[in-house]
């Protein structure tokens, strides 16, 4: 059975993608098509804020991209030295909140200790932060994408927890998306399942999938990596066959397996 994964390749170059591996262990033949392209912005402003940990109560990362932006900031030797010598330790005296394992492991790579990674989405993480933080203390620094949802900022604001958001990347459709989807459907045929990994993915892919699958779209089982993506799918009238309990390869593969009653 073929599964089409509408996601970017994993952050590191080494070895096969864990989603392809995990689905393979269940006998699924998974193919990955990158959906999004990212442009980083305001990196100088991000570094200036990272240079003043005393002004903040901690950090929040809800996507791997946001941590990648920090890595880019630290590429210059002088900045990397300042980070390694003193800034990292100062930030480590504060909390670094994250959503998901992929983001957590990137946070560890820059020398910080992630908290809350088991919260599968921003809404759950917001609840977790509210239990940990004291209202009206120093702001939490939140480097994020231009398309961030307002769930986390809204929940924190209601509880009096101060947040300073900084947009550090913009999301666009991957330049090869339409061509890649066209090639997939013409060469591989109809997949048994298609998994979406973000609301943006739903927005950019759906029209192409409907076009290339024609009358067979209702035979495809559509999967979501989490509740936010599932909501975006339902809003577009896409029937959601399964939503991963957590945004991990194991949970997605288990959900797809269950959807086929295997």
């Amino acid at each position: 059975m073929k599964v089409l994964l509408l996601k970017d390749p994993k952050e590191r170059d080494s070895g096969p993608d864990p989603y392809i591996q995990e689905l393979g262990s269940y006998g699924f033949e998974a193919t990955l098509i990158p959906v999004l392209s990212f442009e980083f912005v305001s990196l100088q402003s991000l570094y200036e804020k990272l240079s003043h940990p005393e002004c903040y109560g901690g950090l929040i990362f809800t996507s791997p991209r946001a941590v990648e932006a920090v890595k880019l900031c630290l590429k210059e030797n002088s900045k990397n030295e300042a980070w390694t010598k003193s800034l990292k330790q100062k930030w480590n005296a504060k909390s670094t909140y994250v959503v998901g394992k992929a983001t957590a492991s990137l946070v560890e790579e820059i020398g910080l200790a992630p908290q809350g990674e088991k919260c599968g989405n921003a809404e759950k993480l917001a609840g977790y932060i509210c239990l940990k933080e004291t209202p009206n203390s120093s702001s939490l620094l939140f480097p994020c994408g231009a398309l961030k949802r307002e769930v986390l900022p809204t929940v924190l604001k209601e509880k009096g927890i101060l947040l300073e958001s900084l947009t550090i990347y913009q999301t666009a459709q991957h330049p090869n998306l339409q061509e890649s989807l066209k090639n997939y459907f013409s060469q591989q045929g109809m997949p048994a399942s298609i998994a979406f990994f973000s609301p943006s993915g739903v927005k950019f892919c759906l029209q192409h999938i409907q076009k290339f699958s024609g009358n067979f779209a209702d035979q495809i089982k559509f999967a979501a990596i989490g509740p936010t993506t599932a909501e975006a799918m339902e809003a577009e009238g896409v029937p959601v066959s399964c939503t991963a309990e957590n945004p991990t390869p194991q949970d997605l593969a288990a959900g797809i397996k269950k959807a086929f009653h295997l």
Side-chain angles (χ1 to χ4, degrees):
M1 277 191 195
K2 289 177 179 166
V3 177
L4 177 57
L5 304 172
L6 298 171
K7 72 180 281 284
D8 296 300
K10 70 188 180 103
E11 309 307 321
R12 294 168 208 66
D13 302 327
S14 58
D17 186 274
Y19 285 89
I20 291 179
Q21 258 187 320
E22 189 66 29
L23 284 158
S25 73
Y26 286 116
F28 291 111
E29 187 189 331
T31 304
L32 189 150
I33 291 181
V35 170
L36 308 173
S37 65
F38 299 91
E39 182 194 352
F40 291 104
V41 294
S42 310
L43 291 185
Q44 186 54 40
S45 178
L46 174 60
Y47 183 72
E48 281 162 19
K49 292 177 189 301
L50 289 172
S51 301
H52 292 284
E54 70 281 359
C55 297
Y56 299 98
L59 284 160
I60 301 176
F61 295 109
T62 57
S63 73
R65 293 288 168 267
V67 193
E68 278 181 13
V70 174
K71 281 185 150 185
L72 278 176
C73 281
L74 304 175
K75 274 246 164 98
E76 284 175 40
N77 284 342
S78 58
K79 290 176 178 173
N80 201 0
E81 202 175 323
W83 177 260
T84 309
K85 277 190 173 167
S86 69
L87 293 175
K88 182 172 71 177
Q89 286 85 330
K90 288 174 182 171
W91 281 109
N92 261 331
K94 305 164 188 289
S95 296
T96 301
Y97 298 106
V98 303
V99 169
K101 280 184 181 171
T103 307
S105 60
L106 284 170
V107 161
E108 285 168 351
E109 281 180 22
I110 58 170
L112 299 179
Q115 292 185 41
E117 66 180 83
K118 289 201 169 72
C119 303
N121 57 45
E123 195 169 359
K124 285 181 188 166
L125 183 66
Y128 178 84
I129 293 170
C130 290
L131 295 173
K132 294 275 205 178
E133 294 291 324
T134 312
N136 301 314
S137 44
S138 301
S139 296
L140 298 171
L141 179 59
F142 179 30
C144 54
L147 295 176
K148 77 167 190 314
R149 291 171 80 239
E150 290 304 317
V151 171
L152 186 135
T154 304
V155 172
L156 296 188
K157 191 177 177 184
E158 282 168 2
K159 299 287 185 193
I161 290 161
L162 304 176
L163 187 71
E164 187 177 318
S165 301
L166 176 68
T167 298
I168 39 90
Y169 67 91
Q170 290 167 339
T171 309
Q173 179 175 315
H174 194 284
N176 303 332
L177 177 63
Q178 187 173 355
E179 190 64 23
S180 300
L181 285 168
K182 185 181 171 189
N183 291 342
Y184 178 87
F185 279 91
S186 62
Q187 290 164 17
Q188 307 253 13
M190 203 65 52
S193 177
I194 296 178
F196 287 100
F197 283 73
S198 68
S200 312
V202 177
K203 184 174 109 181
F204 295 139
C205 296
L206 198 56
Q207 56 181 5
H208 303 310
I209 288 168
Q210 286 165 338
K211 182 173 138 191
F212 298 133
S213 59
N215 300 327
F216 297 101
D218 56 357
Q219 293 175 20
I220 300 169
K221 290 198 187 293
F222 291 98
I225 192 61
T228 310
T229 303
E231 277 172 31
M233 290 160 69
E234 283 161 355
E236 294 292 340
V238 178
V240 181
S241 294
C242 72
T243 303
E245 278 188 30
N246 294 292
T248 66
Q250 293 74 17
D251 285 319
L252 182 71
I256 291 174
K257 181 187 167 212
K258 203 171 167 185
F260 284 104
H261 310 293
L262 295 176

